[in-house]
Amino acid sequence: MSYCRQEGKDRIIFVTKEDHETPSSAELVADDPNDPYEDQGLILPNGDINWNCPCLGGMASGPCGEQFKSAFSCFHYSTEEIKGSDCVDQFRAMQECMQKYPDLYPQEDDEERENQSKDLETTPTEAAVAKEEKGSS
């Protein structure tokens, strides 16, 4: 016999093996292609930008989210011969904002320096072993 129990905000439903053996009678609702919250990719069917797209990596919601949205929108809707050439000011504002938060938005130069310093931290013995392993393969 199946039953349901409420614990605070949670609703716990216990079902029997027999409950699982009967086919579900639930009807699935077709996806709405105009629903902006559906996983539609970066550009929605109507041409708008999907700011909820995981492909943006949270850039639209961070401390520089407004600057990012402004620059990205400008580029997306740009009609200039060289696309985005009219968006230099917006991209500059975004870059200036990102420089204020180096922990959130590391510069490529910073990442390269970190990788180089990690390479330098490798001991001579580790480097020799790595060379030998490459040579023997």
Side-chain angles (χ1 to χ4, degrees):
M1 179 173 104
S2 59
Y3 67 97
C4 183
R5 172 174 89 205
Q6 191 81 25
E7 287 187 11
K9 65 176 181 54
D10 301 317
R11 192 167 127 191
I12 302 168
I13 302 171
F14 293 93
V15 295
T16 63
K17 184 176 180 179
E18 292 78 27
D19 291 331
H20 281 288
E21 289 174 347
T22 57
S24 172
S25 60
E27 292 182 28
L28 299 177
V29 179
D31 290 338
D32 179 3
N34 296 319
D35 184 353
Y37 298 105
E38 283 295 318
D39 191 11
Q40 299 282 330
L42 180 58
I43 307 301
L44 297 171
N46 66 1
D48 288 345
I49 299 168
N50 180 7
W51 297 115
N52 296 318
C53 181
C55 62
L56 294 176
M59 292 290 292
S61 60
C64 300
E66 290 306 311
Q67 292 85 342
F68 174 79
K69 286 180 179 180
S70 173
F72 196 87
S73 295
C74 181
F75 181 83
H76 177 65
Y77 296 112
S78 176
T79 57
E80 292 297 310
E81 181 69 27
I82 299 174
K83 188 167 181 87
S85 61
D86 53 333
C87 306
V88 173
D89 292 337
Q90 289 90 333
F91 277 98
R92 184 173 291 124
M94 180 181 76
Q95 184 179 22
E96 288 170 359
C97 179
M98 289 177 169
Q99 287 172 345
K100 294 176 187 174
Y101 301 94
D103 292 341
L104 291 175
Y105 308 105
Q107 301 292 314
E108 284 183 26
D109 295 343
D110 294 344
E111 289 175 7
E112 287 174 18
R113 274 189 230 120
E114 284 179 24
N115 290 338
Q116 287 174 353
S117 67
K118 285 179 187 173
D119 290 343
L120 294 175
E121 290 171 5
T122 305
T123 64
T125 308
E126 290 172 337
V129 169
K131 271 187 181 178
E132 285 179 27
E133 287 175 355
K134 281 184 182 177
S136 65
S137 1

